Amino acid sequence: MPEADKEGERYSADVPQQSPGFFLKGSHQLDWGMKNRLASTFNPETGRTVMLAVDHGYFQGPTTGLERIDLSILPLLPSCDALFCTRGILRSVVPASSQKPMVLRASGGPSILREELSDEQIAMDMDDAVRLNASGVGIQVFIGGEHETRSVHNMTKLVDAGLRVGIPVMGITAVGKTMVRDAKYFRLACRIIAELGAQYVKTYYVEEGFETVTASCPVPVVMAGGKKLPELEALTMAYNAVQQGAAGVDMGRNIFQSDAPKAMIAAVGAVVHQNMKPNEAFDLYRSLRTNK
Ligand code: 5RP
């Protein structure tokens, strides 16, 4: 048997990790408030989430599709389980009457104009996350990056602050431009993030061995969307990710840069929550596209 197969076997990807008394992997021993916030972000019936990521402006400014979040994103709110955004957008654009769980971007620093993006700091006090009634906070972790240690410590400080008030932290695997994006790298990055206390991890899908990434991460993994793909490819990627153990998605460009964002988020929702097959979900997208 080839070495790669033997390695895959050690992850027992087909044997789910036990989570007695709570529906989310690795979360059963957390406190009530933290669990309650997780249960608003992840659907307790499916154990998954469709989080809509619109935080890009924190380093990219008005990205295509996010020029007017009031016009392009607010109409999508009813179709997602949670919104991932900055506190600036939350306060300035999102109605406080919204019942939607908000996960807030909590790191920042270098803009897209800089070559090295790992030079981030914590960019929001946990006090403000509490004030804003956040369901979670998200922070970039640059494993292998130039400022690796700082970004890891940013996350652990945020985790400590989150534990004090019951706000979960989503650690995001940020991959340097020149790094290899493979299962070996993402296993390493996701596991470090979980071991150091993040309550869930956002990471990219890889074609080979993604199930070993989710299996070796003791807390839920949500799939990051990445650059815009044709809709069928994006739906296939989301389908494969959840079938291979992801607890849903945190997708941005593949939804809001679609020709029909409302149709696309509905199709992603069907893939994530109903295990709809990619071709069927694409048909759903096409049939809803006329009502964009
Ligand atoms: C990068 C991030 C983002 O800023 C954003 O959420 C990315 O979303 P997408 O790649 O789906 O457009 O977290 O890691």
Side-chain angles (χ1 to χ4, degrees):
M1 196 182 287
E3 182 55 31
D5 288 349
K6 277 196 198 141
E7 190 180 274
E9 277 169 23
R10 292 203 310 273
Y11 292 93
S12 301
D14 54 334
V15 184
Q17 183 181 313
Q18 296 300 302
S19 291
F22 195 64
F23 69 100
L24 275 183
K25 177 179 173 176
S27 314
H28 55 292
Q29 303 190 99
L30 297 172
D31 202 355
W32 196 95
M34 183 87 75
K35 279 183 179 156
N36 185 250
R37 287 188 175 89
L38 288 169
S40 70
T41 308
F42 294 83
N43 179 332
E45 275 167 33
T46 63
R48 295 177 183 162
T49 186
V50 175
M51 202 187 297
L52 176 59
V54 297
D55 60 311
H56 307 57
Y58 93 96
F59 78 113
Q60 293 185 333
T63 314
T64 306
L66 297 182
E67 297 87 346
R68 289 289 304 270
I69 288 184
D70 55 334
L71 302 180
S72 61
I73 299 302
L74 295 188
L76 304 179
L77 271 189
S79 314
C80 66
D81 295 300
L83 189 72
F84 182 40
C85 66
T86 59
R87 63 175 166 179
I89 288 297
L90 190 71
R91 280 203 168 93
S92 57
V93 176
V94 181
S97 54
S98 171
Q99 300 291 301
K100 206 49 76 173
M102 298 292 158
V103 179
L104 300 179
R105 157 67 61 182
S107 64
S111 77
I112 192 74
L113 302 179
R114 304 300 290 260
E115 197 48 42
E116 181 52 55
L117 294 177
S118 70
D119 189 17
E120 285 196 347
Q121 306 272 1
I122 292 178
M124 189 181 63
D125 264 4
M126 197 53 82
D127 280 359
D128 206 28
V130 172
R131 198 174 295 120
L132 289 165
N133 197 27
S135 293
V137 294
I139 184 162
Q140 222 74 348
V141 183
F142 295 84
I143 299 300
E146 190 178 325
H147 299 280
E148 174 182 64
T149 301
R150 168 135 48 84
S151 80
V152 165
H153 284 174
N154 288 343
M155 189 198 80
T156 56
K157 282 183 202 142
L158 207 62
V159 167
D160 285 330
L163 286 168
R164 280 195 283 275
V165 296
I167 294 192
V169 172
M170 172 173 76
I172 304 167
T173 61
V175 198
K177 287 177 191 156
T178 55
M179 282 181 204
V180 184
R181 291 175 175 229
D182 61 9
K184 190 174 177 190
Y185 174 78
F186 288 120
R187 284 197 298 261
L188 175 79
C190 291
R191 183 63 172 261
I192 290 173
I193 287 171
E195 297 253 1
L196 291 174
Q199 281 76 27
Y200 55 106
V201 181
K202 166 172 168 171
T203 198
Y204 292 93
Y205 181 72
V206 285
E207 294 288 339
E208 289 291 315
F210 186 72
E211 73 285 356
T212 66
V213 178
T214 57
S216 58
C217 181
V219 297
V221 167
V222 292
M223 186 204 76
K227 68 175 188 337
K228 174 76 176 71
L229 300 168
E231 278 74 6
L232 178 58
E233 278 178 44
L235 292 167
T236 304
M237 181 171 78
Y239 179 81
N240 290 340
V242 295
Q243 297 308 314
Q244 291 166 30
V249 300
D250 183 19
M251 272 173 121
R253 287 163 289 177
N254 276 294
I255 292 172
F256 62 72
Q257 290 180 352
S258 166
D259 286 344
K262 252 191 187 165
M264 186 59 181
I265 199 166
V268 171
V271 163
V272 168
H273 290 305
Q274 297 163 36
N275 293 310
M276 189 179 275
K277 294 258 165 53
N279 280 328
E280 228 182 302
F282 185 56
D283 287 347
L284 175 67
Y285 161 75
R286 281 198 299 201
S287 69
L288 295 172
R289 191 167 49 182
T290 41
N291 306 324
K292 72 177 173 177

